[in-house]
Amino acid sequence: MRFSHSFSCSAMGALILGCLLLQASNSNAQLRPDFYFRTCRQVFDIIGNVIVDELSSDPRIAASLLRLHFHDCFVNGCDASILLDNSTSFRTEKDAAPNANSARGFDVIDRMKDEIELACPRTVSCADILTIASQISVLLSGGPWWPVPLGRRDSLRAFFDLANTALPSPFFTLDQLKKSFADVGLNRPSDLVALSGGHTFGRAQCQFVTPRLYNFNGTNRPDPSLNPTYRDQLRRLCPQNGNGTVLVNFDPVTPDGFDQQYYTNLRQGKGLIQSDQELFSTPRADTIPLVEQYSNNRFVFFQAFAEAMIRMGNLKPLTGTQGEIRQNCRVVNSRIRSVENEDHGVVSSI
């Protein structure tokens, strides 16, 4: 199977989204969907073909790439800071609690970058690669297409401390979730509810589920919002004092497909982590009607998700001469030049 961006755009775009999302994509004037039209037109096909190939052996990778983009954008904007390894100047975000031994797909991004550098050297940013990869991952899993605004540049540092505080916790209440989203500029209820729908595929570790099963909020009892049958199923997968790294499907019905089943699960008390179930089980919450609406209408969910993804992708982008276009997504260019100078016996002033 080969990925064809032209087919995906014409078929899915015309069917699902149309002019509304094209207008939304222009909300940041410096980003535009045709940014690489003249300089690297094949970027979508390169990224898409890598994902198709990776999916053949790793059905989790689509959800993992979407999560990488989310975790990148919530920490000082969509600037690929999450991809940077440790440096003498900063600590990597990969070591932050929400990412350590959890965030994955970095090697897949490396593969995309290597192939893009061969085709279009020093042209496509790692931030844009992450953004495109998340969109194609959703599309290949059965979700919507949307016009991806492009033209981001890459940060010159990582933000370890901010990664520990800015990312929403799986144990958050609804009020805490709303604040976390509003703090980065996503202040509409539809932003929170639609982007949470990214948990319609992928996995979570038992360590993020077991408090709900055995000792919810220190009560020594399970979360009362949990469907009893589902609770018993989860207890078999995640026994008390068991292996916290065991993986559990976010969606037990269609675990690798991007659809609206996530919201149906919430209505049945089958949200995997607390922060998901809060969207429906918090009394009189303004998120409840959205959960019901998205559960009943895939088209409405897809449109809301695409709009929210565009809004999230527009968070504090580096553009113009800000930042850089990294040659290697794991290191800033000055480190590459420093090593090259050392290899040639040149003392670098960088």
Side-chain angles (χ1 to χ4, degrees):
M1 176 182 175
R2 300 289 291 174
F3 178 82
S4 172
H5 177 245
S6 58
F7 172 79
S8 301
C9 290
S10 60
M12 295 298 291
L15 176 63
I16 297 177
L17 299 171
C19 294
L20 179 61
L21 289 181
L22 286 171
Q23 183 178 13
S25 71
N26 292 326
S27 58
N28 187 307
Q30 296 185 78
L31 302 180
R32 63 181 198 272
D34 65 346
F35 188 84
Y36 297 112
F37 182 77
R38 296 185 183 277
T39 58
C40 195
R41 190 178 302 190
Q42 63 268 52
V43 62
F44 283 88
D45 289 340
I46 293 173
I47 292 173
N49 285 324
V50 169
I51 297 174
V52 168
D53 184 55
E54 293 287 338
L55 280 170
S56 65
S57 59
D58 181 5
R60 297 172 54 199
I61 196 60
S64 297
L65 292 172
L66 175 62
R67 182 171 181 247
L68 272 187
H69 179 51
F70 183 97
H71 280 218
D72 181 45
C73 291
F74 261 65
V75 179
N76 209 52
C78 308
D79 58 4
S81 59
I82 193 173
L83 302 180
L84 288 168
D85 287 341
N86 274 318
S87 161
T88 55
S89 303
F90 52 78
R91 187 173 179 183
T92 177
E93 293 171 27
K94 298 173 186 179
D95 288 343
N99 298 323
N101 302 311
S102 176
R104 61 191 298 271
F106 300 105
D107 55 333
V108 178
I109 298 296
D110 290 341
R111 180 181 169 189
M112 294 172 186
K113 181 62 171 176
D114 289 345
E115 295 190 18
I116 290 169
E117 284 297 305
L118 287 175
C120 317
R122 305 186 183 193
T123 300
V124 181
S125 70
C126 300
D128 276 346
I129 291 173
L130 258 183
T131 308
I132 296 170
S134 66
Q135 187 253 354
I136 295 177
S137 293
V138 168
L139 178 65
L140 289 174
S141 302
W145 172 89
W146 62 91
V148 182
L150 300 168
R152 298 167 192 79
R153 289 168 66 86
D154 300 322
S155 70
L156 300 176
R157 58 168 292 117
F159 305 93
F160 170 80
D161 290 335
L162 187 59
N164 274 315
T165 58
L167 289 163
S169 163
F171 308 112
F172 269 4
T173 65
L174 182 58
D175 285 342
Q176 290 172 316
L177 283 172
K178 287 182 173 181
K179 182 179 186 304
S180 178
F181 274 65
D183 284 348
V184 298
L186 298 172
N187 50 16
R188 305 187 309 186
S190 59
D191 293 329
L192 169 58
V193 181
L195 289 175
S196 296
H199 286 168
T200 193
F201 63 170
R203 319 284 189 268
Q205 296 181 16
C206 279
Q207 62 179 309
F208 303 119
V209 181
T210 49
R212 301 186 66 208
L213 304 179
Y214 304 101
N215 187 23
F216 181 64
N217 289 344
T219 62
N220 288 318
R221 299 180 62 83
D223 184 345
S225 69
L226 263 172
N227 178 293
T229 302
Y230 184 54
R231 179 195 64 211
D232 292 343
Q233 293 171 351
L234 291 176
R235 281 179 165 175
R236 287 192 289 272
L237 295 169
C238 302
Q240 196 167 20
N241 301 318
N243 184 351
T245 63
V246 169
L247 297 173
V248 185
N249 293 326
F250 270 111
D251 177 0
V253 182
T254 55
D256 298 319
F258 195 96
D259 53 30
Q260 82 273 35
Q261 181 65 41
Y262 164 84
Y263 299 102
T264 301
N265 295 341
L266 297 186
R267 297 176 70 178
Q268 297 172 349
K270 297 180 180 179
L272 180 63
I273 57 178
Q274 177 184 345
S275 58
D276 285 338
Q277 194 60 52
E278 291 279 339
L279 301 178
F280 187 75
S281 296
T282 303
R284 298 177 298 280
D286 57 358
T287 53
I288 294 174
L290 290 173
V291 171
E292 293 173 336
Q293 186 179 31
Y294 299 164
S295 170
N296 291 326
N297 193 317
R298 179 179 300 194
F299 177 87
V300 173
F301 164 48
F302 279 7
Q303 179 170 305
F305 182 82
E307 288 178 1
M309 285 294 290
I310 291 172
R311 282 169 53 80
M312 185 178 75
N314 285 340
L315 294 177
K316 297 175 66 175
L318 301 175
T319 59
T321 59
Q322 298 172 315
E324 65 182 9
I325 306 296
R326 281 185 221 139
Q327 296 171 247
N328 179 332
C329 292
R330 293 176 180 264
V331 297
V332 296
N333 292 340
S334 60
R335 285 188 62 193
I336 296 175
R337 291 196 299 270
S338 178
V339 170
E340 289 175 346
N341 287 339
E342 290 174 6
D343 288 344
H344 290 85
V346 177
V347 178
S348 174
S349 59
I350 296 174

